[in-house]
């Protein structure tokens, strides 16, 4: 099937049509803000970029294990980041952070609902015009292609329906709402197309692979391109392709040190989980773990097909390929059966693999990075002046190119606002009000006051996490991940008070940051100015949580 770009009548103001190769003056005019280090020298073209985004793929519990082709074709041919984090362990806020390069308190998407600003009218009006794909298209002359899951409420009637095509996309092939594998509807440049349950024509991961290959066949050869391919896998309902449904029969969820134990000295939502888990819950999570891996085998096929087609068309050596996930996942940790949304490593740490021009093969970076860095990195690759954006993230390009003596951050912010209403669930009357995402044994994965903010710190001396909850307890959790990588022991009451104060201060700084101030040296950076500790920051506490900003 041949994909056509958006019809001329649907081109947005400030968005270029395909530029003719015979008009260098026009090309230079449009690319004035995107010359950068690459320029537009005769006979050259700025690099292409592909962003592959999976849904709920963990890094801590072996989520990359099934992806042998992906690791060989991207990781071994480039760089793997061992300390990559998301600023919110939930699909819609995390995806909004990727697109905007901003922390949730700045893009204001706080959960997966329209009320939480997920693909809402407000999001469309305020944030979509400033996403990095919109800049790539309007300012840098890139062809932009999207296929897959966008935001969880995309296509909702109250938010413009499937007719809404976000600013910045030349080709739009987006899933209505949340991840599915069969029986879904796609918006193809604003027109709905329904799919059924015939594997050969409807299995979504394969459909995304095929339409992506079509784009590479039919795109213009005169402009660079950006592709974002967002697969449903390994999100529920975990429907594997027929040929993979018997894979990993002897695989079980990892029985690591925090599996099926009580979350002692943790937030009340973790403490309420029943320990030990019932046999039925363990059987359920083991089956989910296995099926998640099965769905990823089709993603591995997609990556292989894409890389081979780029090589066949002669584009591979001029293309950066990023592979990552929107958040992690847990299966039995602290007796929580399955979900994300929590502050622990298994939910906030994700895979990040990158290959491309100038990146040496078989590299591993321990630098602390976050998905807010993807937008600035891709704009940097395109040669755009990052000072013209309001993004909170940093460009990874110097790291990718092996820069020495690089000054880098020592901390990132993680923030989440719980979902749920302040009422008691009649099926779980013994629990506090506002719980949601509950399993049959009244083990609930979220609540309206599961609202927290953390600073995740990595420096030469410290590997720490400091978190505060916005609840009646004003609960605090602190972990030394050097001594306790499974985050079993909360050291909030035993840690050096001076160190606790520094972490608290940095959290307040990050919760009120915007743009450049999100990149200032933290208290564990060599460039930190201790005089800032004594400045008047009384207004910070009033902006602790994003509900005050909506």
């Amino acid at each position: 099937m041949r994909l056509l770009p958006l019809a001329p009548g649907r081109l947005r103001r400030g968005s270029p049509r395909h530029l003719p190769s015979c008009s260098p003056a026009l090309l230079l005019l449009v690319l004035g803000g995107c010359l950068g280090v690459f320029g537009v020298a005769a006979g050259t073209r700025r690099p292409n970029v592909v962003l592959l985004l999976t849904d709920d793929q963990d890094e801590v519990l072996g989520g990359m294990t099934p992806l042998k082709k992906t690791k060989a074709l991207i990781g071994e041919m480039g760089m793997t980041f061992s300390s990559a984090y998301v600023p919110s362990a939930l699909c819609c806020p995390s995806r909004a952070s990727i697109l905007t390069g901003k922390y949730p308190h700045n893009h204001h998407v706080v959960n997966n609902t329209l009320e939480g600003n997920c693909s809402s009218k407000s999001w469309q009006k305020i944030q979509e015009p400033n996403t990095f794909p919109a800049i790539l298209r309007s300012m840098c002359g890139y062809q932009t292609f999207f296929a897959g899951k966008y935001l969880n409420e995309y296509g909702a009637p109250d938010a413009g329906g499937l007719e809404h095509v976000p600013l910045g996309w030349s080709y739009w092939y987006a899933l209505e709402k949340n991840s599915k594998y069969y029986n879904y509807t796609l918006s193809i440049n604003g027109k709905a197309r329904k799919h059924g349950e015939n594997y050969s024509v409807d299995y979504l991961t394969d459909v995304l692979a095929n339409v992506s290959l079509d784009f590479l066949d039919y795109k213009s050869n005169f402009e660079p391109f950006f592709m974002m391919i967002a697969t449903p896998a390994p999100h529920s309902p975990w429907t594997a392709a027929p040929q993979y449904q018997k894979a990993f029969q002897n695989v079980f969820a990892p029985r690591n040190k925090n599996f099926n134990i009580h979350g002692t000295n943790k937030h009340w939502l973790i403490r309420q989980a029943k320990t030990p888990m019932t046999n039925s819950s363990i059987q359920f999570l083991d089956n989910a773990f296995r099926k998640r891996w099965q769905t990823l085998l089709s993603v591995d096929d997609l990556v292989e097909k894409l890389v081979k087609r780029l090589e066949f068309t002669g584009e591979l050596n001029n293309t950066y390929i990023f592979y990552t996930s929107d958040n992690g996942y847990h299966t039995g940790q602290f007796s929580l059966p399955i979900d994300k949304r929590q502050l622990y490593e298994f939910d906030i740490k994700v895979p990040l693999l990158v290959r491309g021009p100038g990146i040496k093969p078989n590299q591993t970076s321990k630098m602390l990075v976050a998905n807010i860095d993807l937008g600035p990195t891709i704009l940097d690759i395109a040669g755009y002046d990052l000072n013209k954006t309001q993004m909170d993230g940093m460009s990874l390009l110097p790291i990718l190119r092996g820069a020495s003596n690089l000054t880098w951050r020592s901390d990132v912010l993680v923030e989440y606002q719980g979902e749920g209403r302040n009422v008691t669930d009649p099926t779980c009357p013994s629990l506090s009000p506002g719980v949601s995402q509950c399993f049959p044994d009244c083990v609930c994965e979220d609540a309206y006051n599961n609202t927290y903010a953390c600073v995740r710190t990595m420096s030469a001396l410290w590997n720490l996490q400091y978190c505060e909850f916005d609840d009646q307890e004003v609960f605090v959790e602190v972990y030394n991940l050097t001594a306790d990588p499974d985050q079993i022991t909360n050291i909030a009451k035993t840690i050096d008070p001076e160190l606790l104060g520094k972490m608290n201060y940095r959290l307040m700084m990050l919760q009120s940051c915007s743009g450049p101030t999100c990149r200032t040296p933290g208290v564990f950076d060599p460039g930190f100015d201790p005089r800032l500790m004594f400045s008047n920051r009384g207004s910070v506490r009033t902006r602790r949580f994003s509900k005050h900003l909506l």
Side-chain angles (χ1 to χ4, degrees):
M1 180 188 70
R2 180 172 180 175
L3 266 184
L4 296 176
L6 291 175
R10 294 191 65 85
L11 283 173
R12 305 304 202 270
R13 185 177 176 181
S15 302
R17 302 167 189 260
H18 288 312
L19 301 173
S21 59
C22 59
S23 179
L26 177 59
L27 183 64
L28 286 170
L29 178 64
V30 173
L31 304 184
C34 291
L35 299 182
V37 293
F38 291 106
V40 287
T44 66
R45 199 179 74 195
R46 284 158 303 131
N48 312 304
V49 182
V50 177
L51 173 58
L52 295 154
L53 179 64
T54 54
D55 197 347
D56 287 3
Q57 184 181 358
D58 65 275
E59 194 275 337
V60 171
L61 301 179
M64 283 299 298
T65 303
L67 292 149
K68 295 180 180 180
K69 300 172 187 175
T70 301
K71 289 187 288 186
L73 294 171
I74 303 179
E76 293 175 15
M77 297 303 295
M79 182 174 288
T80 298
F81 287 85
S82 61
S83 302
Y85 290 85
V86 295
S88 188
L90 191 63
C91 299
C92 204
S94 181
R95 288 164 183 264
S97 287
I98 291 174
L99 291 164
T100 62
K102 297 178 181 179
Y103 283 120
H105 69 267
N106 286 328
H107 61 58
H108 303 166
V109 178
V110 297
N111 56 42
N112 287 344
T113 67
L114 278 177
E115 293 76 16
N117 204 29
C118 181
S119 201
S120 68
K121 289 286 190 179
S122 174
W123 157 266
Q124 294 169 16
K125 179 180 179 181
I126 298 172
Q127 300 299 339
E128 281 185 344
N130 299 301
T131 62
F132 78 86
I135 296 172
L136 282 177
R137 186 179 181 191
S138 65
M139 301 302 297
C140 303
Y142 271 67
Q143 303 167 83
T144 53
F145 167 90
F146 182 88
K149 175 180 172 180
Y150 179 57
L151 301 176
N152 294 57
E153 286 295 327
Y154 172 73
D158 291 343
L162 294 174
E163 294 78 14
H164 172 69
V165 178
L167 186 73
W169 298 101
S170 315
Y171 301 81
W172 182 250
Y173 204 83
L175 175 69
E176 180 183 30
K177 295 194 175 182
N178 209 353
S179 284
K180 291 184 178 180
Y181 299 82
Y182 295 109
N183 298 310
Y184 54 85
T185 302
L186 295 171
S187 169
I188 302 179
N189 292 339
K191 295 183 179 180
R193 175 176 293 176
K194 294 184 180 296
H195 280 259
E197 48 188 321
N198 181 341
Y199 168 71
S200 63
V201 294
D202 295 319
Y203 189 70
L204 182 55
T205 306
D206 291 350
V207 170
L208 299 181
N210 292 335
V211 75
S212 299
L213 299 182
D214 286 344
F215 168 76
L216 292 175
D217 286 342
Y218 294 110
K219 65 175 178 59
S220 164
N221 290 323
F222 302 112
E223 304 117 37
F225 62 82
F226 167 71
M227 302 177 70
M228 184 171 178
I229 307 167
T231 74
H235 196 285
S236 62
W238 315 306
T239 309
Q243 68 269 31
Y244 296 133
Q245 289 177 358
K246 294 183 178 181
F248 309 120
Q249 290 302 304
N250 296 319
V251 168
F252 301 91
R255 267 53 171 176
N256 51 356
K257 290 183 179 180
N258 54 23
F259 179 84
N260 199 18
I261 68 170
H262 187 258
T264 306
N265 292 325
K266 287 178 167 50
H267 178 228
W268 75 268
L269 186 64
I270 308 300
R271 299 196 303 265
Q272 57 84 32
K274 293 178 174 60
T275 306
M277 290 182 288
T278 62
N279 289 335
S280 60
S281 290
I282 294 176
Q283 184 178 7
F284 176 79
L285 69 86
D286 277 335
N287 189 50
F289 187 90
R290 192 176 303 116
K291 287 179 176 294
R292 282 163 52 79
W293 275 22
Q294 291 170 356
T295 66
L296 285 169
L297 293 175
S298 293
V299 177
D300 214 26
D301 291 340
L302 183 158
V303 172
E304 180 184 42
K305 293 173 185 176
L306 187 72
V307 171
K308 285 185 175 180
R309 186 61 58 88
L310 287 167
E311 185 174 29
F312 177 78
T313 58
E315 300 278 7
L316 184 59
N317 291 335
N318 193 39
T319 301
Y320 287 87
I321 305 177
F322 293 75
Y323 181 97
T324 192
S325 172
D326 58 3
N327 50 255
Y329 208 70
H330 58 257
T331 47
Q333 284 62 48
F334 303 124
S335 299
L336 298 173
I338 60 163
D339 200 47
K340 51 266 186 174
R341 307 168 201 264
Q342 305 305 327
L343 58 89
Y344 309 104
E345 293 284 282
F346 42 73
D347 283 359
I348 64 174
K349 194 173 183 180
V350 293
L352 178 57
L353 291 67
V354 191
R355 68 170 289 173
I359 305 176
K360 295 179 180 179
N362 288 307
Q363 299 292 301
T364 299
S365 174
K366 296 180 180 179
M367 293 293 199
L368 180 61
V369 302
N371 71 10
I372 58 171
D373 300 329
L374 293 173
T377 303
I378 293 169
L379 290 177
D380 200 9
I381 289 170
Y384 188 74
D385 182 359
L386 298 180
N387 292 324
K388 296 181 179 179
T389 76
Q390 292 299 313
M391 294 183 175
D392 302 333
M394 304 168 66
S395 172
L396 304 179
L397 199 53
I399 299 176
L400 295 172
R401 290 178 170 173
S404 58
N405 300 320
L406 183 65
T407 299
W408 198 252
R409 64 159 73 93
S410 66
D411 49 41
V412 293
L413 176 67
V414 179
E415 50 191 352
Y416 178 66
Q417 182 169 311
E419 289 186 48
R421 295 180 296 117
N422 189 11
V423 295
T424 300
D425 187 335
T427 63
C428 303
S430 63
L431 294 180
S432 298
V435 294
S436 60
Q437 311 296 318
C438 296
F439 285 83
D441 301 316
C442 285
V443 177
C444 301
E445 298 273 2
D446 203 6
Y448 81 98
N449 66 346
N450 180 36
T451 297
Y452 58 82
C454 308
V455 56
R456 182 70 178 88
T457 291
M458 289 185 183
S459 69
L461 298 177
W462 300 104
N463 185 6
L464 299 170
Q465 185 177 23
Y466 172 93
C467 302
E468 293 182 5
F469 281 84
D470 186 22
D471 59 12
Q472 290 181 344
E473 292 182 285
V474 194
F475 202 78
V476 175
E477 295 189 31
V478 185
Y479 299 97
N480 178 354
L481 283 96
T482 300
D484 180 23
D486 295 295
Q487 296 171 288
I488 294 172
T489 304
N490 178 7
I491 61 173
K493 295 182 180 179
T494 59
I495 194 172
D496 182 342
E498 182 180 354
L499 190 59
L500 196 69
K502 287 183 177 181
M503 297 288 284
N504 171 268
Y505 168 79
R506 186 55 178 164
L507 180 60
M508 290 191 294
M509 291 281 288
L510 287 174
Q511 284 182 277
S512 61
C513 78
S514 179
T517 61
C518 297
R519 305 188 291 272
T520 55
V523 292
F524 297 98
D525 290 316
F528 174 71
D529 182 355
R531 291 173 297 181
L532 293 175
M533 294 280 287
F534 305 100
S535 63
N536 180 15
R537 300 198 56 83
S539 62
V540 172
R541 284 292 182 179
T542 65
R543 298 189 62 189
R544 286 178 58 200
F545 295 97
S546 52
K547 66 184 179 183
H548 299 298
L549 302 178
L550 293 179

